[in-house]
C-alpha cells in the first residue's frame, strides 16, 4: 500500500469546511431513522422536511495505521421531540483505535459508551480537545442554537462500525428539559 508521500497543510474555513476535502457525507433524519428516542416525533420530523442533520468534510487517507484521517463535522441545531440533533455514532471497526476531537464553534456534548455498559458525556465548546480512548463508541450532540463544528483526527485503518449502535443505541440521551440541557440515561427517559 502506498503511504502519503509528502507533508502538506489543510485549513478550516469560516464555515467549518475542511480544505481541501476529498469526500463529503451528508446525513438527513431519514438516514438515521430509528435512532431518536421518540419514534412519533422522528416520523413527524421526517415528514415535515427531513432536515439535514450533519455534514462531514473529510480528507481521505490510505487505509493504514500509520496514516491519520482529518475531517470536520458540521452538526446543525435542532431537536426531534425534546432530543437534540446528533450524529449516528459508531465504534471503530478496529476497536483499539483512538480519536481526537477539537471543538471549533458552537457547543455540544460528546457521548461515549463501552460494550461493558460504561457511559459518559464530555461537554464540548470551541477550544475543547477531547480524547476518545480506544474501545469507546462515540456520538456528538448539538445542544446550542448554531452549528456545532468540530475537527476529528483518527487512524487511517480505524474503520466505522455503525451496526452495533444501530442495534443497541447509546445508554445516554441528551435532551432539553425545562429549557436546560439534560444528559439522562435511556431508562430514565422512558
Ligand atoms: C467523526 C464522525 C463524524 C460523523 O469524523 O464520523 O462526526 O459521525 P458518524 O460517523 O457517527 O455519522 C468520527 O468519529 N470519525 O471516526
Ligand atoms: Zn470515530
Amino acid at each position: 500500500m502506498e503511504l502519503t508521500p509528502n507533508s502538506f497543510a489543510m485549513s478550516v474555513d469560516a464555515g467549518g469546511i475542511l480544505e481541501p476535502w476529498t469526500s463529503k457525507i451528508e446525513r438527513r433524519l431519514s438516514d438515521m431513522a430509528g435512532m431518536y428516542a421518540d419514534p412519533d416525533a422522528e416520523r413527524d420530523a421526517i415528514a415535515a422536511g427531513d432536515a439535514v442533520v450533519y455534514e462531514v468534510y473529510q480528507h481521505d487517507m490510505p487505509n493504514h495505521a500509520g496514516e491519520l484521517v482529518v475531517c470536520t463535522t458540521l452538526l446543525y441545531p435542532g431537536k426531534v421531540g425534546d432530543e437534540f440533533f446528533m450524529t449516528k455514532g459508531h465504534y471503530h471497526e478496529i476497536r483499539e483505535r483512538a480519536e481526537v476531537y477539537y471543538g471549533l464553534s458552537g457547543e455540544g456534548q460528546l457521548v461515549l459508551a463501552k460494550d461493558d455498559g460504561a457511559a459518559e458525556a464530555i461537554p464540548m465548546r470551541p477550544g475543547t480537545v477531547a480524547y476518545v480512548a480506544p474501545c469507546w463508541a462515540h456520538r456528538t450532540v448539538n445542544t446550542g442554537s448554531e452549528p456545532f463544528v468540530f475537527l476529528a483526527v483518527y487512524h487511517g485503518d480505524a474503520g466505522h462500525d455503525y451496526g452495533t449502535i444501530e442495534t443497541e443505541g447509546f445508554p445516554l440521551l441528551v435532551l432539553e428539559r425545562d429549557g436546560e440541557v439534560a444528559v439522562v440515561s435511556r431508562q430514565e427517559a422512558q
Side-chain angles (χ1 to χ4, degrees):
M1 175 183 305
E2 219 168 286
L3 294 174
T4 302
N6 296 310
S7 306
F8 62 98
M10 292 172 259
S11 61
V12 182
D13 76 11
I17 296 172
L18 179 73
E19 299 284 359
W21 55 271
T22 57
S23 66
K24 178 186 170 184
I25 298 164
E26 179 185 276
R27 288 207 221 280
R28 293 176 178 273
L29 286 168
S30 58
D31 297 318
M32 47 193 307
M35 295 196 128
Y36 288 90
D38 180 342
D40 296 335
E42 184 185 71
R43 191 200 52 230
D44 292 350
I46 291 172
D50 194 14
V52 174
V53 180
Y54 59 102
E55 294 167 349
V56 181
Y57 293 87
Q58 177 156 299
H59 195 103
D60 294 301
M61 295 292 180
N63 174 12
H64 187 286
E67 298 275 2
L68 294 169
V69 180
V70 179
C71 62
T72 54
T73 301
L74 282 69
L75 176 52
Y76 292 103
K79 279 183 293 171
V80 174
D82 57 4
E83 190 174 17
F84 291 105
F85 274 14
M86 61 192 186
T87 58
K88 287 182 79 168
H90 57 267
Y91 284 97
H92 289 153
E93 225 161 70
I94 300 181
R95 290 288 196 274
E96 295 80 12
R97 292 296 181 258
E99 182 158 0
V100 170
Y101 276 18
Y102 176 53
L104 293 171
S105 58
E107 57 191 74
Q109 293 278 336
L110 168 60
V111 179
L112 299 149
K114 255 194 341 191
D115 60 9
D116 63 1
E120 61 176 293
I122 296 175
M124 288 200 62
R125 51 185 65 87
T128 304
V129 181
Y131 186 68
V132 179
C135 304
W136 286 81
H138 40 288
R139 154 182 288 166
T140 45
V141 183
N142 185 341
T143 55
S145 52
E146 54 178 290
F148 169 40
V149 183
F150 62 91
L151 182 125
V153 182
Y154 60 98
H155 296 268
D157 65 344
H160 294 91
D161 164 14
Y162 291 102
T164 306
I165 294 299
E166 278 165 6
T167 314
E168 296 173 10
F170 274 79
L172 295 176
L173 306 181
V174 185
L175 310 175
E176 185 175 74
R177 280 198 171 160
D178 304 322
E180 303 282 324
V181 176
V183 180
V184 300
S185 76
R186 203 167 57 209
Q187 287 94 324
E188 189 192 319
Q190 279 161 356

